[in-house]
Structure formats: C-alpha cells, structure tokens
C-alpha cells in the first residue's frame, strides 16, 4: 500500500524525536530507556496509519509498544494520533522491517504483530513478504524463546503461504482462525481490517511460536 505524499509528514516526524525514531540501530538493546517504565516489549511491523498500535497501547498500559513502518506518510498519520493520546508506552519507528536484527538485540522483544501485510502475490517478490523465511529468522532472533507472533490478513493466498512458510520453519501454531470476526476472540481492529470486513470478507488470523 503506497500512500499519497503529504508534505507535512517528514517535518512533523523531525519535530517529534521523543515519539519517533528514525535511526533505530542507535537504540538496539536499549529500547526500554525510551519508555516511562520497563515492561514487556511488543512490535508491530507495517503499522500503516496506526489505529491498531495506538489502541493496543491504550488497552495494555502494562506493556510497551513500538509501531514500525517504512512509509514516512503513514508514520506521520500515526504520530498525529500519538500527539493527541500522549501514550507513555508507545514509540514509533520509521524504518524498513528487513533490518529488524540491527534494530533490536537478541531476546529484546516479547511479541510481534503483522497486520494485513502487503501480499506480494508474484513469486519473484516472495522475499518481500513479511512471512518469508528470512523475516521469520529475524523475528526468532529478536524475540524471547516463548515470544508470540500474531498475524492477521484478509488475503487467503498470503495466509496459506504463511502457514506453509511458518510450518517449514518449524514454528508451532497456538491458534488459527479462518473467520476471526465470527468468534468471540478479543480483537483490536486495524484500518485495513475494518475496510475489508465491512465488505463481508473473512479475516484470517494465526498465532504461533518458534
Ligand atoms: C496493507 S498496509 C496495512 C497497514 C495496517 N497494518 C493495517 O492493517 O491497516 C501494509 C503496511 O506495511 C508497510 N510495510 C510493508 N513492508 C514493510 C517493511 N518491510 N517494513 C516496514 N513496513 C512495511 C507498508 O508501508 C504499509 O503501510
């Protein structure tokens, strides 16, 4: 998903270094220092416009959250939400998730969220999918041993691919939902999730450990 350029986004990010990190390598192993108090750390890769990560931080004040997103416009939109909410347990990172092991020390992260990740349907783009084996290897490295990966999508092809990719990586599934909204599972929605579920599409979800 490419968002249209917004000229205000980069200046807004630059003006708010207390909420947004643009050189995450510098905080490797030290992320807890950026929060009001040390608490288990959860990272969403591909935050988009930020509804999910902001609501999660509001709902779980006893956890710390990082919303990582590579498009400055999307980070700017999430930052506007955080400037209103002023959540002490939420930080934003503007960077590509492919560098995760440079951004986080081994075992620094408790949980990772992937929500409505770009499907990259062409085989030649497989390596860009956030559930490709090289991404899984980086999640494994930065997460604690019992860390949980949570993945939601409306895209059946990407969901099928991800089940195989995680299985081939030796991951162990805790839960699989083929129609998340048809269950009473506790759920915080994302912008994409609302859009697709309003069209009547089922939402797929899995949770898995390494
Ligand atoms: C389809 S959107 C979904 C946004 C949001 N998670 C939601 O559910 O509403 C996917 C987002 O992931 C971001 N993204 C894709 N690959 C990424 C990567 N390697 N690192 C960081 N962000 C990425 C895109 O820029 C885009 O904002």
């Amino acid at each position: 998903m490419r968002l249209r350029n917004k000229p205000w986004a980069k200046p807004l990010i630059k003006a708010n270094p207390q909420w947004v990190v643009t050189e995450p390598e510098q905080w490797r192993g030290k992320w807890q220092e950026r929060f009001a108090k040390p608490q288990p750390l959860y990272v969403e890769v591909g935050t988009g416009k930020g509804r999910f990560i902001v609501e999660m931080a509001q709902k779980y004040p006893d956890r710390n959250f990082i919303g990582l997103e590579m498009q400055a416009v999307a980070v700017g939109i999430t930052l506007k939400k955080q400037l209103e909410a002023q959540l002490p347990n939420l930080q934003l990172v503007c960077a590509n998730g492919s560098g995760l092991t440079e951004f986080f020390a081994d075992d620094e992260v408790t949980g990772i969220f992937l929500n409505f990740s770009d499907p990259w349907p062409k085989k030649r783009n497989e390596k860009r999918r956030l559930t490709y084996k090289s991404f899984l290897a980086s999640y494994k490295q930065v997460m604690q041993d019992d860390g949980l990966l949570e993945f939601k999508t409306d895209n059946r092809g990407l969901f099928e691919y991800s089940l195989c990719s995680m299985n081939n990586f030796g991951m162990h599934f805790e839960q699989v939902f083929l129609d998340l909204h048809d269950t009473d599972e506790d759920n915080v929605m994302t912008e994409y999730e609302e859009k697709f579920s309003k069209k009547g599409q089922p939402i797929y979800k899995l949770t898995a450990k390494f």
Side-chain angles (χ1 to χ4, degrees):
M1 169 205 64
R2 262 243 126 344
L3 289 169
R4 197 166 330 132
N5 186 41
K6 303 245 189 298
W8 50 263
K10 283 186 180 161
L12 188 69
I13 290 170
K14 209 170 170 199
N16 287 282
Q18 74 280 31
W19 297 125
V20 188
V21 172
T22 52
E23 291 178 347
E25 306 83 354
Q26 295 182 356
W27 291 92
R28 191 176 189 272
K30 300 184 289 193
W31 284 101
Q32 296 293 351
E33 294 174 21
R34 293 195 58 91
F35 294 95
K37 48 184 171 179
Q39 311 188 105
L41 181 62
Y42 292 80
V43 178
E44 182 186 20
V45 182
T47 305
K49 296 179 183 172
R51 171 175 167 182
F52 175 83
I53 204 73
V54 170
E55 287 187 23
M56 287 294 282
Q58 283 165 332
K59 189 169 177 179
Y60 299 101
D62 55 347
R63 304 179 190 178
N64 289 333
F65 292 90
I66 290 178
L68 188 150
E69 165 61 52
M70 63 185 184
Q71 287 188 71
V73 176
V75 175
I77 293 169
T78 306
L79 175 57
K80 282 188 167 181
K81 295 186 171 99
Q82 171 64 333
L83 287 172
E84 277 207 4
Q86 300 277 321
L87 297 165
N89 61 335
L90 175 62
Q91 289 281 312
L92 307 178
V93 172
C94 189
N96 192 317
S98 61
L100 218 62
T101 56
E102 292 150 43
F103 308 157
F104 297 97
D106 296 2
D107 302 335
E108 194 169 14
V109 176
T110 297
I112 291 180
F113 302 103
L114 306 175
N115 291 318
F116 300 81
S117 309
D118 296 315
W120 294 108
K122 294 197 174 112
K123 179 75 183 163
R124 67 164 189 271
N125 288 321
E126 183 187 3
K127 290 182 181 169
R128 295 175 187 242
R129 298 176 195 153
L130 294 185
T131 50
Y132 181 65
K133 60 186 175 189
S134 59
F135 278 101
L136 298 181
S138 70
Y139 307 150
K140 183 178 183 189
Q141 188 175 324
V142 301
M143 268 206 289
Q144 291 140 21
D145 284 347
D146 64 342
L148 194 67
L149 180 65
E150 298 199 29
F151 172 55
K152 288 196 282 189
T153 182
D154 63 298
N155 189 296
R156 181 171 160 166
L158 181 65
F159 194 69
E160 290 171 351
Y161 169 84
S162 303
L163 285 168
C164 287
S165 181
M166 291 180 196
N167 177 67
N168 293 342
F169 202 85
M171 292 182 76
H172 140 94
F173 297 102
E174 301 264 308
Q175 294 171 299
V176 174
F177 301 96
L178 297 180
D179 190 353
L180 177 65
H181 294 181
D182 197 32
T183 69
D184 55 7
E185 187 67 11
D186 198 20
N187 184 43
V188 171
M189 294 253 264
T190 81
E191 277 92 354
Y192 265 65
E193 183 168 359
E194 181 166 43
K195 185 167 120 187
F196 290 117
S197 60
K198 271 188 180 159
K199 287 185 189 168
Q201 288 179 227
I203 302 302
Y204 306 100
K205 179 180 176 181
L206 65 81
T207 63
K209 290 185 175 181
F210 288 98

